Amino acid sequence: MTRRNPRTTAKSQALQLPTHQPKPQLTPPTSLKMNLSSIRPAFRPVTSRIAQLSNNALQRSFAPTTRRTIRPTPATTTTTRSPFSTTARLLKRNRSAKNATDPRITAIRYHLTHPLTPRPLHFSRTRALRHWTIHRAWLLFLRKRRRAEELELERQYNSMRAACEHLRLLDNNGNRVSEAEAGGQGPDAGRLGVRGREVGRLYRAAMLKRGVWGSVPVEYARVQTDFPGREGWNHAWTRS
Amino acid sequence: MALRELPLRTASAFCSHVRPVAQLVRPSFRRNSSSEALYGIEPWSPFSVPPPSEELSKTFDPVARSKLRRRGKRELPPSRYQYRPPKYYRGRLHPHQPPPVSDPSSRLFQPGPFSLPRLEQTYQSTIAPDVLTLTYQHYPPGYRAPKLDQRLREWTGESPYFRNRPLRPPRGRGDHLRLLTPPRTFRNVPKITKVTIHSMVPEAQENSAHLHVAGMIVQAISNIRATTHKARHNVVGWGLREGKYVSVTANMEREDAHHFLAKLVDVVLPRIKEWKGVPASSGDGAGNMTFGLTPDQVALFPEVEVNYDAYPPKMIPGCHITIQTDATNNKDARLLLQAIGLPFFGKLND
């Protein structure tokens, strides 16, 4: 509506507007008519609501450049603000205030019912084939990554298992004992063998799971970052 | 300078010409163990394809074929044609089957992960191996777990009504059996499967604006379109009337769930004043943990905070957050959530 001529700079407007009516070729004349209170006849009331609205909008859009207060003449205020009877307007105002919906709720409702869903993709044959190829490659990449993670976890599991088995068959002197002498057969890890407690002491201690189920330290639970802080935890922090 | 370099250049040029000849000559003198093996191999192979027949090669005219295709009898549909999968699944035996979900043309297709959340990376690189190590139970090689027989009891007695009757329900309260926990392996390390936000606003029965604001906030927090739910029963104590819309939920999976949890743990929960943690009494015994946030705690989410003015402050809802995991008991689920950064307080529910 109010399109400004790009050639007019802010400086020229600030110079021109407060003094006189700017040249008609700078801005559209229809919108200008509203803005110029200086040439408006003093006794003419603002009749239409649209004119008032566009006047406000224009002022807002021009706000940074034309910062001046339009003081309405006393004649104008009397005509607009005090009609002959106040009761009807007051009643109406009160009713509207009671029933009025918060504009924020109106905005929320508007945006909930107007989802900006784009139209579905529509490709020609070659372009769809290209798209499909890239998609297959992406799926392949994801699968490879998942497989690598799984294999890494499996490798750790296997080495942990081998270590536990080694500890189970370990003597106090660090010698390996036979299966018959060792304990820990079956589901009970604490079961003792022929040579009693001196075989697989570390294994039994590991399988006790002491302190596992209590709580994980808070310092552990930090999400990995590219650039972690120099000191990881502020131990000096107190509640102020 | 140029004059001084000239003999060098001529020499190098000459050498470069000579070199290929030398290389050609060399292989005749070299003898590899594999080079002789080639002579022993039979030239015929079952995979070799016979050349096309004389008749076929004479009649083959690709230009004419493409012209024919272009004129009338088309082998391919026009390029604008786009395959559309069937709208309804009509069973396994129907000739028109829908494509797999991973196919972009499928109606259920969801475009793949657009980011790799930090929480997911941390889980893969640190948390999963640590949880595996902590909860590993060793069984010596060759150990076979005894086979578990039927966990439900049968009806024993002389009554003729006991014959062919379904098994007795489990002991105690509750109508379902608790989940069994298999021994821990690298395949069943507990992980987060889903996060659900549930926000109930009974005020929405009088004024639907509450529901709309709640839906908008849940949607903003979770990046998922919120779903509304009706009250199923009349509950006088809670002021619920049957059939009225009262609540809003959002289910997050994979990428969204990880982003949400990271946001919750790193941004929202540390800023709550006097927050004790998740009550340790939560947990349904199947790996799901729930805790609640009050309206002023929900307002701490960065999405709500940046345009706090867009919502009427009295209408910002509280919510319940359910974190669903793969774990089959409360202990494992709690260990995982603690490793992610959710502290627990109070009496443990095991």
Side-chain angles (χ1 to χ4, degrees):
Chain A
M1 291 193 304
T2 59
R3 181 179 290 176
R4 287 170 58 187
N5 196 329
R7 277 177 297 174
T8 58
T9 55
K11 195 180 176 185
S12 69
Q13 289 217 348
L15 283 177
Q16 285 176 358
L17 270 177
T19 52
H20 301 293
Q21 169 192 6
K23 288 170 188 172
Q25 65 264 27
L26 290 181
T27 43
T30 48
S31 57
L32 258 178
K33 210 181 278 176
M34 322 290 175
N35 200 12
L36 298 171
S37 59
S38 55
I39 58 164
R40 190 189 293 151
F43 293 101
R44 199 177 102 199
V46 179
T47 49
S48 66
R49 172 121 182 92
I50 301 164
Q52 224 171 3
L53 273 179
S54 61
N55 191 4
N56 287 341
L58 198 73
Q59 280 179 12
R60 237 180 290 126
S61 67
F62 277 123
T65 50
T66 62
R67 185 62 62 86
R68 59 169 183 164
T69 53
I70 302 168
R71 285 179 188 150
T73 51
T76 328
T77 49
T78 45
T79 47
T80 52
R81 285 191 186 170
S82 60
F84 293 109
S85 143
T86 53
T87 24
R89 174 173 279 200
L90 273 180
L91 275 179
K92 196 177 181 188
R93 189 184 293 159
N94 283 344
R95 200 186 301 149
S96 68
K98 210 176 284 175
N99 291 339
T101 323
D102 194 339
R104 294 175 287 191
I105 292 171
T106 315
I108 284 172
R109 280 178 177 149
Y110 175 83
H111 289 289
L112 277 177
T113 48
H114 288 78
L116 296 172
T117 311
R119 59 161 180 73
L121 290 179
H122 199 77
F123 290 153
S124 72
R125 182 187 299 132
T126 45
R127 207 165 160 202
L129 277 174
R130 246 182 283 150
H131 208 69
W132 180 79
T133 311
I134 293 171
H135 177 69
R136 299 291 303 175
W138 171 239
L139 286 189
L140 197 64
F141 168 75
L142 286 186
R143 185 187 305 157
K144 276 184 180 171
R145 196 174 71 189
R146 215 179 310 128
R147 180 85 186 123
E149 286 162 358
E150 201 173 87
L151 279 177
E152 172 67 11
L153 213 57
E154 182 177 2
R155 188 190 62 77
Q156 292 176 357
Y157 175 83
N158 286 337
S159 74
M160 185 164 61
R161 189 176 154 78
C164 279
E165 186 56 27
H166 189 76
L167 286 181
R168 189 175 71 89
L169 300 177
L170 207 63
D171 199 354
N172 262 359
N173 302 322
N175 300 323
R176 198 179 167 82
V177 299
S178 66
E179 180 68 42
E181 289 173 322
Q185 285 88 6
D188 181 20
R191 182 179 153 187
L192 297 177
V194 177
R195 286 178 59 184
R197 305 178 66 84
E198 66 182 73
V199 176
R201 188 181 293 272
L202 285 175
Y203 170 68
R204 271 179 273 124
M207 284 301 121
L208 273 182
K209 303 281 172 198
R210 187 175 290 148
V212 165
W213 298 112
S215 64
V216 176
V218 191
E219 293 90 334
Y220 172 85
R222 299 188 75 215
V223 178
Q224 287 174 358
T225 50
D226 286 337
F227 305 100
R230 185 68 51 82
E231 59 265 2
W233 195 261
N234 184 8
H235 290 277
W237 184 86
T238 51
R239 180 182 292 145
S240 55
Chain B
M1 286 294 284
L3 274 179
R4 228 181 292 160
E5 278 178 3
L6 192 62
L8 248 178
R9 287 201 173 171
T10 45
S12 67
F14 185 67
C15 281
S16 70
H17 280 297
V18 166
R19 217 170 280 144
V21 181
Q23 280 171 353
L24 272 180
V25 171
R26 221 176 286 150
S28 62
F29 298 116
R30 192 190 291 159
R31 199 170 64 89
N32 290 327
S33 57
S34 59
S35 57
E36 282 191 4
L38 280 176
Y39 296 111
I41 291 177
E42 215 172 317
W44 181 85
S45 149
F47 297 111
S48 65
V49 182
S53 63
E54 281 289 320
E55 181 193 357
L56 190 69
S57 56
K58 271 179 187 171
T59 54
F60 182 64
D61 190 1
V63 180
R65 270 187 69 185
S66 72
K67 272 179 186 169
L68 195 77
R69 189 186 298 151
R70 223 172 285 149
R71 234 185 304 129
K73 288 178 278 179
R74 283 178 172 157
E75 291 179 3
L76 292 172
S79 178
R80 288 193 312 280
Y81 167 78
Q82 195 169 27
Y83 169 72
R84 300 183 73 190
K87 202 163 185 180
Y88 307 107
Y89 182 60
R90 284 166 234 258
R92 287 186 301 122
L93 297 178
H94 197 271
H96 195 11
Q97 290 288 325
V101 180
S102 61
D103 194 329
S105 70
S106 167
R107 287 175 191 270
L108 303 173
F109 174 70
Q110 286 181 351
F114 295 110
S115 62
L116 183 56
R118 291 192 319 174
L119 186 63
E120 200 180 345
Q121 288 186 47
T122 312
Y123 175 82
Q124 281 300 342
S125 65
T126 315
I127 296 175
D130 287 354
V131 168
L132 174 66
T133 314
L134 283 174
T135 58
Y136 172 70
Q137 183 69 39
H138 183 73
Y139 295 108
Y143 170 73
R144 306 287 297 264
K147 199 176 181 208
L148 205 67
D149 49 351
Q150 178 56 250
R151 292 163 76 199
L152 294 176
R153 296 164 296 162
E154 288 177 357
W155 297 93
T156 50
E158 295 304 313
S159 170
Y161 293 108
F162 286 172
R163 291 177 58 200
N164 297 331
R165 196 172 169 180
L167 296 169
R168 296 175 68 180
R171 291 173 199 270
R173 294 174 64 211
D175 51 352
H176 62 278
L177 281 173
R178 302 185 68 180
L179 291 177
L180 289 173
T181 303
R184 175 77 66 236
T185 63
F186 55 92
R187 286 194 190 281
N188 59 12
V189 180
K191 63 174 181 296
I192 282 160
T193 51
K194 199 191 265 188
V195 177
T196 304
I197 304 180
H198 171 253
S199 168
M200 187 167 119
V201 271
E203 303 87 27
Q205 294 171 117
E206 277 73 48
N207 185 4
S208 66
H210 289 271
L211 196 74
H212 295 148
V213 173
M216 197 50 144
I217 285 183
V218 164
Q219 193 173 310
I221 285 174
S222 67
N223 191 25
I224 298 284
R225 180 79 175 173
T227 333
T228 49
H229 300 280
K230 292 173 183 170
R232 285 187 293 179
H233 309 289
N234 282 315
V235 184
V236 180
W238 298 347
L240 291 187
R241 275 171 289 146
E242 192 180 339
K244 294 277 186 180
Y245 282 102
V246 281
S247 78
V248 158
T249 59
N251 281 327
M252 290 166 281
E253 286 182 347
R254 300 181 288 269
E255 195 191 0
D256 288 320
H258 283 107
H259 277 307
F260 175 78
L261 275 185
K263 202 165 59 191
L264 186 74
V265 167
D266 290 343
V267 181
V268 179
L269 297 183
R271 294 176 56 196
I272 298 176
K273 285 182 183 171
E274 308 290 334
W275 192 63
K276 287 194 279 185
V278 179
S281 58
S282 80
D284 63 350
N288 308 324
M289 291 276 167
T290 307
F291 61 98
L293 294 180
T294 59
D296 51 332
Q297 291 167 0
V298 168
L300 293 177
F301 272 96
E303 290 89 353
V304 182
E305 202 179 25
V306 285
N307 55 356
Y308 182 77
D309 299 337
Y311 309 102
K314 283 180 183 172
M315 290 191 181
I316 293 179
C319 67
H320 279 117
I321 294 168
T322 305
I323 303 172
Q324 307 184 24
T325 62
D326 266 5
T328 49
N329 51 19
N330 285 338
K331 277 168 118 184
D332 286 339
R334 208 181 300 122
L335 185 69
L336 174 65
L337 295 192
Q338 280 170 343
I340 279 172
L342 284 172
F344 284 82
F345 81 96
K347 189 166 173 279
L348 298 181
N349 171 21
D350 284 329

